[in-house]
Every structure is written in structure tokens, then in C-alpha cells.
């Protein structure tokens, strides 16, 4: 069973907290121990320094009496209370010791004695008869001939050890309780934080293809969850537009294909019911052939659009001389313009090289010319131009045709959209040519713009990025 985000957040939080408490406990305990030991070391070293400078400095002629620490404190003012003091001769024999030691002797390890012979102090831990730890400094007293004697001063660590142990137990028993309480609070806070996500999930499950107009409510601050809800709403909006376009596309495609089929069926049924001459049958076949060509044209364009949508036909990016393609398409379209009684000319054809697909760019220019010819009345004109602004190649196709109204301008490049469907059908259009142009331009990283005024004509402007110089 997969863990929920709430559970994962709580586990991560408690794990991190546990590691943090353990790390802090270890560091704190070690630091506290060092502070305590350093404090004791300073205290016993201070006592040793005072004794060496006042009483034990060589050459000594007086022997130390029993319980000398009491005498030192009363008559010399040396504060030795609470400390263990022991004087050892250079050969390791105990010469004198304080009353606090009673029958116990401070240990002198081989390493400490070796260090004393070389004039070095030593600090070490030792245990008393009662088995509580003491901190001992071994202080060498040197004379010209070498080691004169050794002074050892110790201090009990019993009270300080209790502080360290108390701190340790505090972390051992208090840490788990803290982690448990933090886990419970974290579980509650994680649930409260993720509650909007549950609401988003419940609403999202209710949204289907039939109610894509619904949106998630996004009250509260613009935090990560708020942005998630906004992004989800934007995605639903895009899906709604896509579904709407798909429905419109299907309806338009069905209508466009249904019209020629209806015409063909009517022509055939009439010819079957009546006795027509060969010429009559010939005219019926010619009409059927025209409608078949029209259906083939629509199906081909639909296939091109479908392939472009699924990227099944990638654009081949090679160096292309755009001015040559423009000249070729202009020559191929001259007869179409002449048949309609239109004047067509190239006003400017600047040599331009871009990266693109020769076939697709040829189709782009042909569709723009074909669109201009369809919507221009007899006696009108169509002008082509190719120029550059230094960054993009600029293709312009200008006609003196019917133009486009401001209301129709935003939709002129949509599939199956036609300003005047009756007139367009007479011209043989299906409302797909400009959509194909838009797809080709965008596949080349460019853009297409339209400038038009109703009754005065239109200008289609295409911007395509230039090929970079190597």
C-alpha cells in the first residue's frame, strides 16, 4: 500500500527532528563535558601554581608536615579546601599529602612521570576509593639539576558528572517525547495544509467532457496549492477549447463532405430516373467528377492538418532560396489570374535565404496566392513582395478583393472559417488553406499577420527567421 503525502511529510519531519535532536545532544554533551573539565583544570592548575611559587619552589629545606594543607590555608592563605594535594619525590615516592586524601593516594601513571621528568605537565582522570572520578594535574617542580619533586593536585568530578548524566538522561527520555509530540502536531498540520488538495481532487474527479466549463475554486493566498489550482483551471480551459474546436471541426468537416455527396447523389438519382442523352449523362459525370475533386481536395487538406497536429510530417530544415520559390509559384499562378481576369505582379523580390522545407514553403506561397485570387473580383489585382528587415524574411500578398470585417478578423486563420460561405463555395474554397498556411509558418518558427478593410482588399504578411551566417 502506497504511503500518502501526509504520512510521508510526517515521517520526513519526525526523522529529521530525531536526527537533529541526537546530533544536538551529542554536540551539547561533549561541549558541556569539555567546559566542565577545562574549568576544573584551570582551578587545580591555579592551586598548583600558587603552591609552587610560595612554598614548594626549590631549593626546599623544610619538610612538609602532616596535614600541611590545613596549615597552608591558615597561615599562608593558600586555599586548598576541596582539593586533593600530593607531593612526590623525583624517584616516585610520596613525600606528603593533604588531609583530604586520608588513606588514599593519587595515582602517578608512567606517562605522567615520564612527562614530569621532561618538565611537562599532565592532566588525567583517576578514581578514588569511593570510585568517583577526580581530575588530577601532575606538576613537575624543576631545579638546575633536573626534576626536584612532583606536585599533584586533584579535584572531585562527582558533582560535575551528575550534571553531565542529568543532561544525558534529559535527551534520552525527553527526545522521544518531543519527537512524538512533534509527529502528532506535524500530522495535524500536514492534513490541514493538504486539505485543499483533497478538495481539488474531489472536484477534478467530477469534471468530465460534458462539464468542462466548471472550474476549481481558488480562495486563499497564492501559494503552491493556489498556483496548482490556477494551473489546473488553465489546463481545463485549454481542454475545453480543444473539445470545442474538435466538435466544430467535426461538424464543419461533415458539412463540407456532406454537400458534395448530396450533390452527387442527386445528380445520379435524377439521371437514373430520366432518360438522358449521351450529352446529358456526360454533363452529370462532369458534375460528379467536379464534386469528387472537391472531396479529394478537402480530404487531402484534412490529412495534412492532422499530420501537422501529430507531428507525423516533420519539417525538413535545409537552406532554401525563398526568392526562387516565390518566382516559381508566381509563374505557376499566372494562368489562374489570367483566367479570372486579374492582374498579378511581383513588386519586390529580394534575394533571401532561410532554413526550411522547400515543398512546405511552396505550398504556403501558393495558398496565399490562391486565397487572394479567390476573393478578388474581375479587374482587380494581386501583388507579391519579398523583403527582409535584417532578422526575418517578410512575404506580403496584397489583393484588392472583398476584404475582411473587424468581426471576422480574429477567426480568419481558423479551420473551415469562411467570411462568405456561399461565395467561397462558388470559388471552390473549403476554409482550410489559410489554416494550413498558419501551421507551416509556425513550424518554421515564424508568424503570420492579416491587414484588411472590408470592400478594399487584404494583405497577408508572413515573417520567417533568416538563416544565420556561418
Amino acid at each position: 500500500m502506497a504511503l500518502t503525502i501526509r504520512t510521508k511529510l510526517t515521517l520526513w519531519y519526525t526523522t529529521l527532528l530525531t536526527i537533529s535532536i541526537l546530533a544536538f545532544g551529542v554536540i551539547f554533551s561533549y561541549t558541556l563535558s569539555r567546559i566542565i573539565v577545562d574549568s576544573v583544570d584551570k582551578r587545580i592548575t591555579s592551586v598548583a601554581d600558587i603552591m609552587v611559587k610560595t612554598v614548594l619552589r626549590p631549593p626546599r629545606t623544610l619538610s612538609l608536615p602532616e596535614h600541611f594543607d590545613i596549615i597552608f590555608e591558615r597561615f599562608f592563605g593558600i586555599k586548598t579546601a576541596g582539593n586533593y594535594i600530593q607531593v612526590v619525590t623525583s624517584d616516585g615516592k610520596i613525600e606528603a599529602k593533604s588531609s583530604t586524601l586520608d588513606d588514599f593516594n593519587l595515582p602517578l601513571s608512567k606517562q605522567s612521570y615520564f612527562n614530569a621528568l621532561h618538565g611537562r605537565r599532565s592532566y588525567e582522570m583517576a578514581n578514588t576509593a569511593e570510585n568517583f572520578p577526580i581530575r588530577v594535574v601532575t606538576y613537575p617542580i624543576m631545579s638546575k639539576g633536573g626534576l626536584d619533586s612532583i606536585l599533584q593536585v586533584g579535584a572531585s568530578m562527582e558533582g560535575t558528572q551528575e550534571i553531565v548524566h542529568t543532561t544525558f538522561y534529559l535527551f534520552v527520555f525527553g527526545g522521544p517525547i518531543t519527537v512524538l509530540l512533534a509527529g502528532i502536531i506535524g500530522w495535524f498540520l500536514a492534513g490541514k495544509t493538504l486539505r485543499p488538495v483533497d478538495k481539488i481532487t474531489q472536484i477534478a474527479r467530477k469534471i468530465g467532457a460534458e462539464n468542462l466549463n466548471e472550474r476549481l475554486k481558488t480562495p486563499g493566498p497564492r501559494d503552491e496549492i493556489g498556483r496548482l489550482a490556477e494551473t489546473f483551471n488553465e489546463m481545463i480551459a485549454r481542454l475545453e477549447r480543444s473539445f470545442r474546436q474538435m466538435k466544430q471541426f467535426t461538424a464543419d468537416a461533415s458539412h463540407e463532405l456532406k454537400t458534395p455527396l448530396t450533390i452527387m447523389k442527386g445528380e445520379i438519382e435524377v439521371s437514373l430516373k430520366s432518360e438522358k442523352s449521351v450529352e446529358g449523362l456526360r454533363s452529370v459525370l462532369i458534375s460528379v467528377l467536379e464534386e469528387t475533386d472537391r472531396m479529394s481536395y478537402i480530404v487531402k487538406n484534412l490529412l495534412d492538418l492532422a499530420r501537422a497536429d501529430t507531428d507525423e510530417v516533420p519539417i525538413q530544415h535545409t537552406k532554401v532560396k525563398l526568392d526562387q520559390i516565390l518566382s516559381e509559384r508566381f509563374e505557376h499562378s499566372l494562368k489562374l489570374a489570367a483566367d479570372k481576369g486579374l492582374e498579378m505582379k511581383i513588386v519586390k523580390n529580394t534575394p533571401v535565404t532561410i532554413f526550411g522545407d522547400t515543398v512546405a514553403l511552396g505550398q504556403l506561397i501558393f495558398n496565399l496566392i490562391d486565397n487572394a485570387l479567390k476573393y478578388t473580383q474581375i479587374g482587380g489585382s494581386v501583388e507579391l513582395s519579398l523583403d527582409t528587415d535584417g532578422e526575418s524574411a517578410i512575404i506580403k500578398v496584397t489583393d484588392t478583393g472583398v476584404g475582411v470585417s473587424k468581426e471576422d478578423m480574429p477567426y480568419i486563420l481558423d479551420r473551415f472559417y469562411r467570411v462568405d460561405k456561399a461565395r467561397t463555395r462558388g470559388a471552390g474554397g473549403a476554409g482550410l488553406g489559410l489554416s494550413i498556411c498558419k501551421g507551416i509558418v509556425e513550424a518554421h518558427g515564424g508568424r503570420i499577420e492579416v491587414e484588411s478593410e472590408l470592400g478594399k482588399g487584404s494583405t497577408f504578411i508572413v515573417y520567417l527567421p533568416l538563416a544565420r551566417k556561418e
Side-chain angles (χ1 to χ4, degrees):
M1 181 178 178
L3 297 177
T4 63
I5 295 179
R6 184 181 185 182
T7 305
K8 290 180 180 178
L9 287 174
T10 305
L11 289 176
W12 292 341
Y13 172 76
T14 52
T15 301
L16 180 61
L17 182 61
T18 301
I19 295 173
S20 300
I21 291 177
L22 288 175
F24 177 75
V26 171
I27 295 173
F28 182 80
S29 299
Y30 174 78
T31 304
L32 181 62
S33 299
R34 289 307 311 166
I35 291 174
I36 292 173
V37 170
D38 289 344
S39 176
V40 172
D41 287 348
K42 288 180 181 179
R43 180 160 59 87
I44 60 179
T45 302
S46 176
V47 173
D49 284 336
I50 293 173
M51 289 193 65
V52 170
K53 291 177 181 179
T54 57
V55 179
L56 299 178
R57 60 185 178 184
R60 283 187 300 112
T61 56
L62 295 175
S63 60
L64 294 173
E66 187 178 0
H67 305 315
F68 64 89
D69 54 322
I70 300 175
I71 297 174
F72 286 166
E73 187 167 349
R74 289 181 179 177
F75 295 100
F76 294 96
I78 301 174
K79 295 181 180 181
T80 61
N83 296 311
Y84 304 97
I85 303 172
Q86 180 175 279
V87 180
V88 182
T89 61
S90 59
D91 57 358
K93 296 179 180 180
I94 298 175
E95 180 180 355
K97 60 182 180 179
S98 64
S99 60
T100 52
L101 283 173
D102 293 331
D103 297 331
F104 179 72
N105 298 329
L106 293 177
L108 179 63
S109 65
K110 292 182 180 180
Q111 184 63 44
S112 298
Y113 182 69
F114 178 80
N115 290 338
L117 289 175
H118 292 80
R120 296 192 296 268
R121 299 178 190 178
S122 300
Y123 296 90
E124 57 188 351
M125 299 294 293
N127 290 323
T128 62
E130 289 79 10
N131 202 31
F132 60 84
I134 59 174
R135 184 71 172 173
V136 180
V137 58
T138 301
Y139 197 115
I141 303 173
M142 308 300 291
S143 64
K144 293 182 180 179
L147 181 66
D148 181 78
S149 58
I150 299 172
L151 172 64
Q152 290 183 290
V153 180
S156 174
M157 300 290 289
E158 186 176 10
T160 57
Q161 286 292 100
E162 290 179 358
I163 296 175
V164 175
H165 290 160
T166 301
T167 304
F168 174 77
Y169 291 130
L170 179 63
F171 279 105
V172 168
F173 295 105
I177 296 175
T178 303
V179 172
L180 179 61
L181 291 175
I184 295 173
I185 296 172
W187 173 266
F188 171 75
L189 293 177
K192 186 176 181 180
T193 303
L194 294 173
R195 193 170 296 123
V197 177
D198 291 334
K199 293 182 179 178
I200 292 174
T201 304
Q202 293 171 5
I203 297 174
R205 285 175 177 171
K206 297 178 182 178
I207 297 177
E210 66 283 353
N211 58 342
L212 285 174
N213 59 326
E214 293 189 13
R215 296 292 182 271
L216 302 176
K217 296 181 180 179
T218 56
R222 285 180 53 83
D223 54 7
E224 289 82 354
I225 295 177
R227 292 196 295 272
L228 173 64
E230 289 182 0
T231 303
F232 199 85
N233 283 337
E234 292 172 359
M235 182 188 70
I236 296 175
R238 290 194 297 270
L239 286 174
E240 183 182 11
R241 286 194 299 270
S242 298
F243 270 85
R244 192 185 303 117
Q245 290 173 356
M246 187 182 301
K247 290 180 179 179
Q248 185 64 39
F249 180 83
T250 304
D252 290 339
S254 300
H255 175 74
E256 292 295 332
L257 293 174
K258 182 180 179 181
T259 302
L261 286 174
T262 302
I263 295 173
M264 291 167 60
K265 182 179 179 181
E267 293 280 0
I268 294 173
E269 286 178 349
V270 170
S271 63
L272 289 175
K273 290 179 181 179
S274 61
E275 296 180 0
K276 286 192 175 184
S277 62
V278 176
E279 288 298 325
L281 292 175
R282 180 179 177 83
S283 64
V284 171
L285 291 175
I286 291 174
S287 177
V288 171
L289 181 60
E290 289 176 352
E291 295 302 327
T292 303
D293 291 339
R294 176 175 171 77
M295 289 181 61
S296 298
Y297 172 77
I298 294 173
V299 171
K300 178 182 178 302
N301 285 341
L302 288 175
L303 182 59
D304 291 340
L305 288 172
R307 288 177 176 175
D309 289 342
T310 57
D311 295 328
E312 291 184 3
V313 184
I315 297 295
Q316 301 296 325
H317 288 280
T318 58
K319 277 192 175 183
V320 176
K321 293 184 186 261
L322 200 56
D323 52 302
Q324 292 184 1
I325 297 177
L326 183 69
S327 298
E328 292 173 359
R329 291 305 173 186
F330 172 76
E331 295 294 334
H332 294 163
S333 304
L334 278 176
K335 186 176 184 304
L336 294 175
D339 291 343
K340 288 199 64 175
L342 303 177
E343 179 186 1
M344 188 169 67
K345 61 182 177 180
I346 297 178
V347 295
K348 192 171 186 179
N349 194 11
T350 305
V352 174
T353 302
I354 69 169
F355 274 109
D357 187 285
T358 303
V359 176
L361 291 172
Q363 184 179 8
L364 165 67
I365 296 174
F366 176 79
N367 284 0
L368 291 176
I369 295 173
D370 185 59
N371 181 76
L373 295 177
K374 286 176 182 176
Y375 289 96
T376 304
Q377 301 90 342
I378 296 175
S381 64
V382 176
E383 294 182 350
L384 312 179
S385 73
L386 173 61
D387 202 355
T388 176
D389 60 2
E391 294 183 357
S392 302
I394 304 173
I395 304 172
K396 290 185 179 181
V397 179
T398 304
D399 62 65
T400 58
V402 295
V404 182
S405 66
K406 291 182 180 179
E407 293 77 12
D408 293 320
M409 190 72 72
Y411 314 104
I412 194 66
L413 299 176
D414 291 349
R415 298 173 184 181
F416 289 110
Y417 188 82
R418 294 177 300 185
V419 177
D420 187 342
K421 295 192 175 184
R423 182 162 31 189
T424 305
R425 176 165 180 81
L432 295 173
L434 293 180
S435 297
I436 294 174
C437 290
K438 181 182 177 183
I440 293 172
V441 171
E442 291 177 350
H444 284 79
R447 70 181 191 277
I448 183 170
E449 298 176 356
V450 184
E451 296 175 357
S452 185
E453 187 175 350
L454 192 63
K456 295 185 178 181
S458 306
T459 300
F460 287 81
I461 308 170
V462 175
Y463 296 87
L464 298 172
L466 296 173
R468 294 181 181 180
K469 295 181 180 179
E470 298 180 354

